[in-house]
Amino acid sequence: PSPLEIQRLREARRRALERKRTKEQPRTPEPVEGREHIHVQTDLYLEEISDWVIEVDTECQTDAFLDRPATPLFIPAKTGKDVATQIEEGELFDFDVEVKPILEVLVGKTIEQALLEVMEEEELARLWAYQRAYAELRSAELAEVQRLEDQDRRYREEKERRKLQHKQMLQKQKETTEKIAARAFAQRYLADLIPSVFKNLHESGFFYDPIERDIETEFFPWLMAEVEETVEKKVLGRTMLDSLIRTVVEKRLDAFSQKPLPDQTEAPAEEPGPTDEAPQVAGETEAADQPVTEEEETEQPVPEEQPSSHITFQLEELDEAGTEDLETE
């Protein structure tokens, strides 16, 4: 290449290195001749100044990048004098004579290297053959060893199986003998025991009539429950009737106990009669359900009363009020 091409390549390489260095580590370019850089605060955040500091206004101006001129080609200064020498063909050396020893050395070295390579290839071939033979022999030996190991393992497993089979056979024979002996002993021992056991179980009640047991466990409890419920209903009805009768009688007794008015004292007397039919009905119902002593008491004569017509009317009103109160309750 020409010197200009070499110089241009060097300049391009240098510019590429500078560009790469600038990208890797950005920094402020050098100032132009006759100027200098000044530190200026360019932070994004403000700082709080607590003390009064002297402030001075300063301005700076940064020019655009100047294009650097191309570096001139270096041409060394010419020194000395120009001298020329004329050499004719064949004056310095004879090519055929001078080249002969060089050719002999080259040919000898080439042949020697070729022979070495051939010998090396033959030796490698023999080594590979030895390796293949050794690998085949080793594989055969390994296969034989594996076969012998498998055969020995099969013999051992067969021996263990035969031992286990023989032990199991002896164990079964022993168990069979013991079972036969136990069965004969049990038959001999239970010949007289079974009848007595059945007799004791029958006496203890383990053997029972299912119909009788069903009646005792199912029918009788249900019957008793129904009877008890019926009796409770009757007792409840009697209690309620007694309470009603007691309430009516108490109200009428209170009415009879009140003093008659002076206008009603001279009223004509009416025929004596029963004041209410409810006590008699109650007495009859109680006589039907109570013992004989209560029946005798109900058969005794009731003392006759001779209330006036006004008192009878008042008692009827009280009776109607009492029944209404009972109905509302």
Side-chain angles (χ1 to χ4, degrees), residues 180 195 293:
I180 292 172
T293 57

Side-chain angles (χ1 to χ4, degrees), residues 19-274:
R19 194 181 301 110
K20 184 177 180 182
R21 192 180 299 109
T22 304
K23 288 182 180 179
E24 290 178 355
Q25 186 177 1
R27 60 187 182 83
T28 305
E30 295 297 332
V32 186
E33 185 178 357
R35 298 182 181 180
E36 61 180 3
H37 291 321
I38 296 176
H39 293 285
V40 180
Q41 182 181 358
T42 58
D43 295 338
L44 298 178
Y45 302 96
L46 299 176
E47 294 181 1
E48 183 179 359
I49 300 175
S50 58
D51 298 334
W52 181 261
V53 181
I54 299 175
E55 298 179 357
V56 177
D57 294 337
T58 305
E59 296 180 358
C60 65
Q61 178 65 33
T62 303
D63 297 336
F65 289 105
L66 301 176
D67 293 336
R68 184 166 178 246
T71 305
L73 181 62
F74 174 75
I75 299 175
K78 185 176 180 183
T79 57
K81 296 180 180 179
D82 296 335
V83 176
T85 304
Q86 180 67 28
I87 300 175
E88 298 295 337
E89 185 177 357
E91 289 184 355
L92 295 178
F93 65 94
D94 187 1
F95 180 78
D96 296 334
V97 176
E98 299 294 339
V99 82
K100 184 176 180 181
I102 298 174
L103 289 176
E104 289 179 354
V105 172
L106 291 175
V107 171
K109 289 292 182 180
T110 303
I111 294 173
E112 183 180 0
Q113 186 66 27
L115 291 175
L116 289 175
E117 291 179 358
V118 171
M119 291 173 65
E120 185 178 357
E121 290 177 358
E122 291 179 354
E123 186 175 0
L124 290 175
R126 287 195 299 271
L127 290 176
W128 290 341
Y130 290 154
Q131 288 180 357
R132 284 195 296 271
Y134 176 75
E136 292 177 359
L137 181 61
R138 186 170 179 274
S139 300
E141 291 178 354
L142 291 176
E144 184 65 20
V145 170
Q146 187 69 24
R147 186 183 66 80
L148 294 175
E149 289 179 355
D150 293 340
Q151 185 178 1
D152 188 17
R153 181 177 53 79
R154 287 196 299 270
Y155 285 161
R156 286 198 307 272
E157 291 178 356
E158 184 67 22
K159 186 177 179 180
E160 294 295 332
R161 282 198 300 270
R162 294 298 176 85
K163 287 182 179 180
L164 182 60
Q165 185 178 2
H166 186 66
K167 287 181 181 179
Q168 291 177 356
M169 183 182 65
L170 293 177
Q171 185 69 20
K172 288 182 180 179
Q173 288 181 358
K174 184 178 179 181
E175 291 178 357
T176 305
T177 305
E178 292 178 355
K179 287 181 181 179
I180 292 172
R183 185 172 180 275
F185 177 75
Q187 288 179 355
R188 194 180 306 108
Y189 179 74
L190 296 176
D192 299 332
L193 185 62
I194 292 176
S196 62
V197 170
F198 276 104
K199 183 178 179 181
N200 293 331
L201 291 176
H202 186 72
E203 292 177 356
S204 300
F206 287 95
F207 299 103
Y208 55 85
D209 188 3
I211 298 175
E212 183 179 357
R213 176 59 64 86
D214 191 11
I215 291 173
E216 291 178 356
T217 57
E218 300 293 338
F219 178 70
F220 280 167
W222 172 79
L223 183 60
M224 294 300 293
E226 293 293 331
V227 170
E228 185 177 358
E229 185 178 358
T230 305
V231 171
E232 288 179 355
K233 288 181 180 179
K234 287 184 178 181
V235 171
L236 180 62
R238 292 174 186 174
T239 305
M240 293 178 65
L241 184 59
D242 292 341
S243 64
L244 291 173
I245 293 171
R246 186 180 296 106
T247 304
V248 173
V249 170
E250 288 177 356
K251 288 185 178 182
R252 292 199 175 183
L253 184 61
D254 294 338
F256 288 152
S257 63
Q258 292 178 0
K259 294 181 180 181
L261 298 173
D263 296 337
Q264 297 177 359
T265 54
E266 296 179 358
E270 294 182 359
E271 297 180 357

